[in-house]
Amino acid sequence: MAVSGVILLLFVIGHLVGNLQIFAHPDVINKYAHFLQNLGPGLWAVRLILLGAVVAHIWAAVELTLENRRALPERYEADDTIQASYASRTMRISGFIVLAFILFHLAHFTVQIVDTEYRDLYTKTVDGMVVHDVHTMMVKGFQNLWISGFYIIAVGLLSVHLRHGIASMFQSIGWRNAKIAVPLDKASIGLSILYFAGNAAIPLAILAGIVS
Amino acid sequence: MDLTLRVWRQKDRNSPGRLVEYDAKDIDPDMSFLEMLDVVNERLISREEHPIAFDHDCREGICGACSATINGIPHGPERATTVCQLHMRHFKDGDVLTIEPFRARAFPVIRDLMVDRSAFDRIVESGGYVSVRTGSAPEANTLPIPKDVAERAMDAASCIGCGACVAACKNASAMLFVAAKASQLNGLPQGKPEKDRRVLDMVASMDEAGFGNCTNQYECSAVCPKSISEDFIAQLNREYLVASIKQRFARK
Amino acid sequence: MKLDSKTPPGPLAEKWARYRSEIKLVNPANKRKYEIIVVGSGLGGAAAAATLGELGYGVKCFCYQDSPRRAHSIAAQGGINAAKNYQNDGDSVYRLFYDTIKGGDFRAREANVYRLAEVSAEIIDQCTAQGVPFAREYGGHLANRSFGGAQVSRTFYARGQTGQQLLLGAYSALCRQIDAGSVMMFPRTEMLDLVVVDGHAKGIVVRDMVNGKISSYAADAVVLATGGYANVYDLSTNARGCNVTAAYRAYKRGAFFANPCYTQIHPTCIPVSGEYQSKLTLMSESLRNDGRVWVPKRKGDTRPPHKIPEDERDYFLERKYPSYGNLAPRDISSRSAKEVCDDGRGVGPGGLGVYLDFSDAISRLGLETIRERYGNLFEMYERITGEDAYKTPMRIYPALHYTMGGLWVDYNLMSNLPGLHVIGEANFSDHGANRLGASALMQGLADGYFVLPYTIGAYLADLTHKRPSTGHPEFHKVETEVEERTKTLLAINGERSVQSIHKELGKLMWNDAGMARNRKGLKEAIAKIPEIREEFWDNVRVPGDGKEINQELEKAGRLADFLEFGELLCRDALDREESCGGHFREEYQTEEGEALRDDENFSYVSAWEYRGEAQEPVRHKEPLVYEEVKMATRSYK
């Protein structure tokens, strides 16, 4: 869980940093996308690693859940919680929704079957390269209020997921202790908020017309 | 003060149980929770009803026998307190208290509030000891142990084996118990030689008993009558990881 | 009948070493052919079961708790004595021996006590090797604290949880043997009778407390490690489940019960708060190291403690016992507290309490040091009373705590019934009329780890009686008796709960056979107890049936034995016309109110023999012969 979690965490952070280039000149993100698309076998290696991490993460989650359900067949009539965070108690549901979102997100922007017109968006950069116009694709995509709404909700849930996940990772591999518990917790909350803010900024900026 | 109790009643391991409501009138705030149950039981006996069965013994918070979940919290609302040391002054007149046994598959209910916690004994039997023959020990001061190391071992060793950590865990995991026992011995030079084997065996025994997995929510530490830190779980995770890797690559 | 202590010959300091070298050994290959039953899993029981299992015997260990780790040894807080002389303050085996003999008011058997002091150092080694986290100094060496009744610092401790840590050490050794298959553990199983075949203890009858099944187990030797009988007083610091049944049943089967009147009152308990009180909570006596005991000088002074100026306080222990002060032995401290309360100077509700004040120690050593030493005790006090003892003095009052009497055993820890061995608090042997603080843990572990495993071998090596099967008619007979008894208890269906009758017995015992006793009170108690007993057998109500978990039935069975045993205790107290240790007879005191021992007439162990329902028990004497020490008046002034 922790190992696949680390891989996925590094990916989502990298992904966000890449996407934030939308705020620069369209050429920046388009060239970046072009670079990624032309990695060739490297791209597929990364994709396979990510796919593996996702499968491992889900597989571990399912097994954990099944074992944990078996371990506690009868719950309390009057159930209560002392300190377990909201995030930690909703990992399953946040995980499910994020998974659904990822599938949609891939269909939307990677496989481009939601709107096949995206496949034909090409543009010429200032220095004359012909590249896939990812900038326009993103702008068009997020101008749809429904899609932006779903996106914001999903990254919100992913941030909540990370809020428990990041600190939890350290505990699971044995690097957490009382001394770093509070800073670690704060860091994982801070990182989750930053992550959410960064991600939400993109559709919001597009909807507001700041990026076009 | 007057209270309403909703108490889990169950004849034996194989019978179904249910919550039954009782009035507990004229309760003195200086009573302990178990003394309150004693008073209720005396009244049940006088009405020719069966008293509520509950485990208890030392009644001073050290033997770890008492075990009841009050309004969803094992050992009740006071932190770092067993149910025998919980005093009624922490409740209000008119409160409704739902009293249930510790819940976990590995802790089957055997009657009312009593559960079978022998899985804990089996975990210790699997490796929670230092193999030293009686009479073969060296002179105690030949092995100086830094004070902080000894103190940390003592922090872990203060576990009373009550099982509240399991009962509070959303997954009925026994990680805090296992971690406390293993960390006490693994941290001391006396326990080092058997460290890897101890960790692997105790975790295997824990899994076999049907406890759940730790999802790092730390309800266990929050409810622990001895406030044992979840740090020991991190230590166990680390030691387990190392021991597993070593075992994989060990020379046959 | 002559009681032979079987004390080996030779100089005191050489007896044990010589004994060990000369006893017959059991051939290692034969050990697995012997079955040993150990009843109880406290320090003595767990240590004995683990060690015997390790030696290769087939061991079955029984306890009434749901896990062997919960035995009441776990509640001891303060520490364990050992003659290590780590403090370089002049301690030695001899000094520990002498302190123990003197602390016991010269009513213990010399050779046993010397052996206890001898093996004490080994206990610390053993426990340390097991991973018991004893307190340490910054240099990494073991730390010590002082304790009542000694002028050297020889007590080892693990915060305020020494008993727990030592028990967990013994429990872990036991678990190792359970895993190895050499010990079979039977938790939630209560011994209800002893089976004697051809004069030898050969087995026990038990009740499975979960399904109610009554069954028998046969063995080559039976070890009772079943603790003391303080709960005959109902309110005591013992766990609610502690009981005299195993020992008393053995007594009824022919084992002699020695010195039942020697009971110890612990000076530092939290005072009673109401009728519903189910047990008394002890706070470690180690508190007296840094706390000062006082009451107001004026009677009926109801001012809060901080409003009472220094010169209006009576630090009565420091005043009466200048050299030992607040560390005067338990019986003396307890009686002094009772005296000032009887004098109308007690504090707290009902005037049954004295102050234990830490303000001097806090200003001398700092709050942190005090917190480190006693933090958990202060927390415990606050939890129960709602008061913060860092700010206001604790209130303490004596409570029944430990019982020095027990089944009579010889030097081999074997009772007069061959094959029946008795260890720890259940026997009478080492503490005389009064036990020093931090010595109970020492004795339990000494017996279990280092003494019994040798001495039981000596019995087995000579054993000619074959182990009977549980099909033997005697087993059948005893099992039937136990079943009948259970049925009778369930069939009475009277009006009173077990607890209400226990309370009645307890009050009578506390008033007439408690901290101070006199002829008139004891005679009255001896007359009154049979009446309570009759009331019990006529009018108790035990709901439910015997084939399930039935805690009322368990309590009723134990109370039935307490109701007989209480009378024996009073008889012994009446018979012993002197004051010694925990036994204080008001008729026998000095003009200053100190205990007046009568060595000329009472320098013996009283061992009581059961002679049947209709007859009074018979007292036998084992004279106490002191080869090494000279009896002296116990003075702590």
Side-chain angles (χ1 to χ4, degrees):
Chain A
M1 202 94 219
V3 176
S4 56
V6 174
I7 296 171
L8 295 173
L9 174 70
L10 292 176
F11 168 72
V12 295
I13 292 173
H15 190 53
L16 171 63
V17 172
N19 287 355
L20 284 175
Q21 298 175 76
I22 189 91
F23 289 103
H25 188 275
D27 280 2
V28 178
I29 194 159
N30 285 345
K31 275 184 167 173
Y32 168 68
H34 185 75
F35 162 74
L36 290 181
Q37 284 159 359
N38 289 291
L39 277 176
L43 176 66
W44 279 102
V46 173
R47 278 177 175 168
L48 281 176
I49 290 172
L50 286 175
L51 185 67
V54 169
V55 170
H57 207 66
I58 294 172
W59 180 75
V62 169
E63 181 157 294
L64 270 181
T65 306
L66 289 179
E67 279 181 15
N68 291 347
R69 293 241 161 104
R70 263 203 305 278
L72 189 54
E74 196 161 6
R75 301 195 89 87
Y76 294 109
E77 302 255 345
D79 212 350
D80 202 356
T81 293
I82 303 172
Q83 61 139 49
S85 62
Y86 177 78
S88 73
R89 284 179 287 137
T90 51
M91 290 303 268
R92 240 163 264 152
I93 186 75
S94 59
F96 265 121
I97 297 175
V98 167
L99 174 66
F101 168 74
I102 290 171
L103 294 176
F104 172 78
H105 194 60
L106 288 172
H108 189 205
F109 285 146
T110 308
V111 194
Q112 299 156 357
I113 49 170
V114 176
D115 189 342
T116 47
E117 280 175 23
Y118 290 174
R119 293 176 186 172
D120 307 323
L121 285 172
Y122 280 91
T123 186
K124 199 180 261 183
T125 60
V126 179
D127 47 5
M129 262 169 79
V130 174
V131 292
H132 186 220
D133 190 356
V134 170
H135 184 86
T136 308
M137 177 175 82
M138 280 170 73
V139 173
K140 279 194 168 188
F142 285 127
Q143 273 167 350
N144 180 326
L145 205 61
W146 289 105
I147 289 176
S148 283
F150 184 32
Y151 179 87
I152 293 172
I153 291 170
V155 292
L157 286 172
L158 181 53
S159 307
V160 172
H161 200 82
L162 291 178
R163 182 253 173 276
H164 176 67
I166 296 171
S168 197
M169 238 152 49
F170 284 82
Q171 172 79 358
S172 295
I173 47 180
W175 287 352
R176 183 183 180 277
N177 61 45
K179 243 187 235 157
I180 66 159
V182 173
L184 183 64
D185 220 36
K186 283 188 180 151
S188 73
I189 291 175
L191 199 61
S192 305
I193 291 173
L194 276 181
Y195 179 74
F196 176 70
N199 270 304
I202 299 169
L204 288 177
I206 290 171
L207 284 174
I210 299 168
V211 174
S212 57
Chain B
M1 56 186 176
D2 298 338
L3 303 163
T4 305
L5 309 182
R6 300 167 66 227
V7 185
W8 186 263
R9 302 304 305 264
Q10 180 172 337
K11 190 176 175 348
D12 54 37
R13 193 183 286 248
N14 302 316
S15 308
R18 66 194 177 91
L19 286 173
V20 179
E21 204 167 292
Y22 300 98
D23 284 335
K25 292 202 188 308
D26 298 323
I27 297 302
D28 191 315
D30 279 334
M31 283 178 185
S32 73
F33 196 86
L34 297 187
E35 284 168 347
M36 183 274 291
L37 287 181
D38 288 342
V39 168
V40 170
N41 274 345
E42 288 289 299
R43 292 173 191 166
L44 287 176
I45 294 167
S46 72
R47 295 205 305 258
E48 303 202 32
E49 289 180 47
H50 286 231
I52 301 158
F54 58 92
D55 267 319
H56 67 100
D57 205 18
C58 79
R59 296 208 176 192
E60 51 185 272
I62 193 73
C63 76
C66 61
S67 55
T69 299
I70 303 164
N71 291 344
I73 308 282
H75 289 310
E78 281 293 293
R79 298 284 66 81
T81 303
T82 54
V83 75
C84 66
Q85 292 273 286
L86 172 67
H87 283 74
M88 297 310 290
R89 63 179 83 101
H90 300 296
F91 297 98
K92 294 190 308 290
D93 186 48
D95 276 357
V96 178
L97 306 181
T98 304
I99 309 168
E100 296 172 77
F102 281 2
R103 296 264 184 228
R105 180 164 74 106
F107 288 171
V109 176
I110 54 173
R111 190 181 179 93
D112 299 345
L113 304 175
M114 296 168 86
V115 296
D116 177 354
R117 285 169 288 192
S118 53
F120 271 11
D121 292 317
R122 289 193 296 278
I123 292 174
V124 177
E125 286 159 22
S126 73
Y129 48 76
V130 173
S131 301
V132 53
R133 195 174 298 110
T134 303
S136 68
E139 150 59 45
N141 260 354
T142 50
L143 185 67
I145 298 173
K147 190 174 164 69
D148 57 329
V149 173
E151 289 294 320
R152 190 175 151 80
M154 183 63 223
D155 286 342
S158 62
C159 168
I160 59 173
C162 65
C165 46
V166 173
C169 178
K170 306 289 179 200
N171 316 315
S173 168
M175 282 292 273
L176 189 63
F177 171 78
V178 176
K181 192 73 213 169
S183 302
Q184 175 203 341
L185 301 178
N186 292 352
L188 292 170
Q190 302 93 305
K192 285 263 166 20
E194 294 171 286
K195 184 175 163 189
D196 293 344
R197 197 185 60 170
R198 174 179 304 119
V199 167
L200 295 171
D201 288 350
M202 288 178 82
V203 170
S205 168
M206 169 180 80
D207 289 343
E208 195 185 322
F211 291 103
N213 303 290
C214 180
T215 51
N216 308 331
Q217 294 175 303
Y218 318 133
E219 287 284 294
C220 49
S221 290
V223 85
C224 175
K226 297 293 160 190
S227 304
I228 293 176
S229 163
E230 66 266 19
D231 284 10
F232 294 117
I233 299 182
Q235 183 180 338
L236 179 67
N237 284 334
R238 190 171 63 237
E239 288 170 348
Y240 183 77
L241 206 65
V242 171
S244 309
I245 294 168
K246 272 167 127 177
Q247 191 191 34
R248 179 139 308 168
F249 297 105
R251 258 186 238 136
K252 287 278 161 348
Chain C
M1 159 159 189
K2 192 178 169 298
L3 284 170
D4 180 4
S5 74
K6 304 212 175 77
T7 303
L12 187 60
E14 288 166 27
K15 285 182 197 286
W16 179 233
R18 188 188 290 185
Y19 172 95
R20 279 189 302 170
S21 323
E22 290 175 0
I23 49 164
K24 275 197 199 161
L25 297 176
V26 179
N27 178 333
N30 285 337
K31 279 184 181 150
R32 64 190 161 78
K33 294 182 192 158
Y34 290 105
E35 288 278 338
I36 300 172
I37 283 173
V38 178
V39 187
S41 64
L43 288 184
T51 306
L52 292 170
E54 196 174 83
L55 286 171
Y57 296 109
V59 179
K60 290 191 172 71
C61 183
F62 298 80
C63 71
Y64 74 77
Q65 296 88 348
D66 70 325
S67 161
R69 68 174 292 154
R70 304 203 200 285
H72 195 59
S73 308
I74 206 163
Q77 299 164 0
I80 176 164
N81 287 333
K84 282 283 198 189
N85 194 28
Y86 282 165
Q87 304 302 318
N88 195 28
D89 55 2
D91 198 11
S92 64
V93 167
Y94 189 88
R95 200 177 285 278
L96 174 56
F97 151 74
Y98 187 78
D99 284 348
T100 309
I101 282 276
K102 179 186 172 196
D105 225 355
F106 302 94
R107 289 293 176 267
R109 193 187 290 144
E110 205 181 43
N112 285 54
V113 180
Y114 194 88
R115 176 177 64 189
L116 175 67
E118 255 183 301
V119 301
S120 67
E122 259 186 290
I123 296 173
I124 301 304
D125 300 340
Q126 182 66 27
C127 296
T128 303
Q130 287 169 344
V132 170
F134 283 121
R136 286 177 185 266
E137 294 164 354
Y138 282 102
H141 296 112
L142 294 166
N144 291 115
R145 56 165 60 142
S146 312
F147 236 81
Q151 286 173 317
V152 294
S153 187
R154 63 160 78 98
T155 304
F156 295 79
Y157 62 102
R159 279 194 203 148
Q161 308 170 7
T162 316
Q164 184 200 22
Q165 293 313 317
L166 295 174
L167 181 60
L168 291 181
Y171 162 75
S172 70
L174 177 64
C175 281
R176 179 170 158 248
Q177 294 307 315
I178 295 171
D179 193 42
S182 56
V183 177
M184 257 174 95
M185 188 69 217
F186 298 80
R188 288 200 201 270
T189 307
E190 184 164 37
M191 168 178 165
L192 292 180
D193 221 327
L194 179 76
V195 182
V196 181
V197 178
D198 300 331
H200 285 242
K202 287 293 181 196
I204 60 172
V205 173
V206 300
R207 178 171 179 272
D208 180 323
M209 293 155 77
V210 177
N211 61 24
K213 198 168 169 290
I214 288 167
S215 52
S216 302
Y217 292 90
D220 296 286
V222 175
V223 180
L224 296 188
T226 51
Y229 47 81
N231 277 346
V232 69
Y233 292 83
D234 181 36
L235 278 182
S236 81
T237 67
N238 279 193
R240 286 306 287 166
C242 294
N243 65 82
V244 76
T245 291
Y248 194 73
R249 293 280 125 194
Y251 162 74
K252 287 183 96 166
R253 296 282 168 200
F256 292 176
F257 210 110
N259 300 334
C261 79
Y262 292 160
T263 55
Q264 185 174 73
I265 313 280
H266 194 285
T268 52
C269 296
I270 300 175
V272 176
S273 67
E275 261 301 294
Y276 49 80
Q277 191 102 12
S278 64
K279 85 153 266 167
L280 296 169
T281 304
L282 168 158
M283 289 175 302
S284 168
E285 192 178 13
S286 62
L287 287 168
R288 291 200 280 144
N289 270 320
D290 290 308
R292 298 179 70 197
V293 178
W294 64 275
V295 289
K297 279 187 178 161
R298 190 155 53 81
K299 285 183 192 180
D301 191 338
T302 53
R303 288 176 292 175
H306 63 275
K307 291 265 172 68
I308 301 177
E310 199 60 28
D311 61 343
E312 291 179 41
R313 298 177 177 189
D314 178 13
Y315 294 90
F316 55 91
L317 288 177
E318 295 172 22
R319 171 172 58 81
K320 288 162 74 177
Y321 309 100
S323 66
Y324 279 77
N326 296 299
L327 290 177
R330 293 180 165 173
D331 54 330
I332 290 179
S333 309
S334 299
R335 239 176 5 256
S336 299
K338 182 180 190 292
E339 261 166 40
V340 294
C341 292
D342 288 350
D343 192 32
R345 297 190 287 142
V347 298
L352 290 176
V354 299
Y355 290 125
L356 181 64
D357 198 333
F358 288 86
S359 50
D360 279 1
I362 290 173
S363 52
R364 188 175 73 247
L365 302 164
L367 193 67
E368 263 325 295
T369 310
I370 296 298
R371 198 186 297 279
E372 192 182 317
R373 283 187 193 166
Y374 312 108
N376 66 318
L377 297 172
F378 279 53
E379 268 168 42
M380 174 191 262
Y381 183 79
E382 179 164 14
R383 199 169 293 136
I384 292 171
T385 61
E387 290 171 17
D388 179 359
Y390 294 106
K391 296 189 177 127
T392 183
M394 287 182 177
R395 283 176 296 111
I396 54 168
Y397 198 65
L400 218 107
H401 166 56
Y402 186 89
T403 55
M404 282 74 66
L407 290 174
W408 183 88
V409 290
D410 60 17
Y411 188 76
N412 301 305
L413 302 181
M414 188 162 84
S415 100
N416 58 302
L417 260 185
L420 180 70
H421 294 73
V422 191
I423 59 177
E425 189 180 353
N427 75 25
F428 87 104
S429 70
D430 294 355
H431 306 296
N434 176 52
R435 177 177 66 77
L436 291 184
S439 285
L441 302 182
M442 172 172 71
Q443 188 216 343
L445 290 180
D447 287 359
Y449 284 132
F450 298 112
V451 180
L452 181 85
Y454 283 100
T455 61
I456 205 168
Y459 168 73
L460 293 172
D462 265 342
L463 191 62
T464 47
H465 290 70
K466 259 190 75 194
R467 178 173 74 241
S469 84
T470 52
H472 190 282
E474 190 60 26
F475 276 93
H476 183 68
K477 182 179 144 251
V478 177
E479 223 175 273
T480 313
E481 281 172 25
V482 169
E483 265 164 15
E484 283 307 316
R485 197 169 132 91
T486 306
K487 275 188 203 144
T488 311
L489 286 170
L490 287 163
I492 301 167
N493 200 21
E495 295 288 321
R496 292 185 61 183
S497 70
V498 177
Q499 184 50 36
S500 73
I501 299 175
H502 199 160
K503 209 157 226 139
E504 190 180 340
L505 173 70
K507 277 190 180 154
L508 180 77
M509 295 297 295
W510 179 250
N511 289 332
D512 289 334
M515 233 183 300
R517 300 142 178 193
N518 60 52
R519 189 171 294 112
K520 184 167 160 284
L522 289 167
K523 282 193 166 158
E524 277 168 15
I526 291 168
K528 186 83 189 11
I529 292 171
E531 290 171 26
I532 306 177
R533 200 156 59 218
E534 207 169 309
E535 166 76 0
F536 172 84
W537 287 105
D538 277 349
N539 202 20
V540 76
R541 175 182 296 165
V542 183
D545 66 56
K547 301 285 171 218
E548 56 185 7
I549 293 179
N550 189 336
Q551 294 177 312
E552 288 300 308
L553 178 63
E554 294 158 18
K555 276 154 62 181
R558 295 166 192 167
L559 178 59
D561 290 323
F562 277 135
L563 282 165
E564 293 181 25
F565 173 76
E567 190 181 329
L568 182 68
L569 192 160
C570 293
R571 247 177 232 290
D572 186 45
L574 181 67
D575 187 65
R576 185 163 285 275
E577 295 179 328
E578 64 162 349
S579 294
C580 58
H583 170 63
F584 189 79
R585 281 282 298 265
E586 287 165 354
E587 301 95 320
Y588 308 100
Q589 52 181 310
T590 63
E591 276 174 23
E592 300 101 59
E594 301 295 327
L596 195 61
R597 228 172 52 211
D598 179 355
D599 292 337
E600 204 169 311
N601 295 306
F602 288 94
S603 179
Y604 59 76
V605 175
S606 304
W608 295 85
E609 181 189 5
Y610 181 73
R611 297 298 276 277
E613 299 272 329
Q615 282 186 63
E616 287 187 8
V618 173
R619 196 240 310 103
H620 300 277
K621 292 182 188 176
E622 180 206 333
L624 288 167
V625 185
Y626 288 97
E627 296 170 2
E628 191 77 28
V629 301
K630 260 183 63 193
M631 287 200 200
T633 305
R634 200 167 63 118
S635 167
Y636 290 92
K637 292 208 172 186

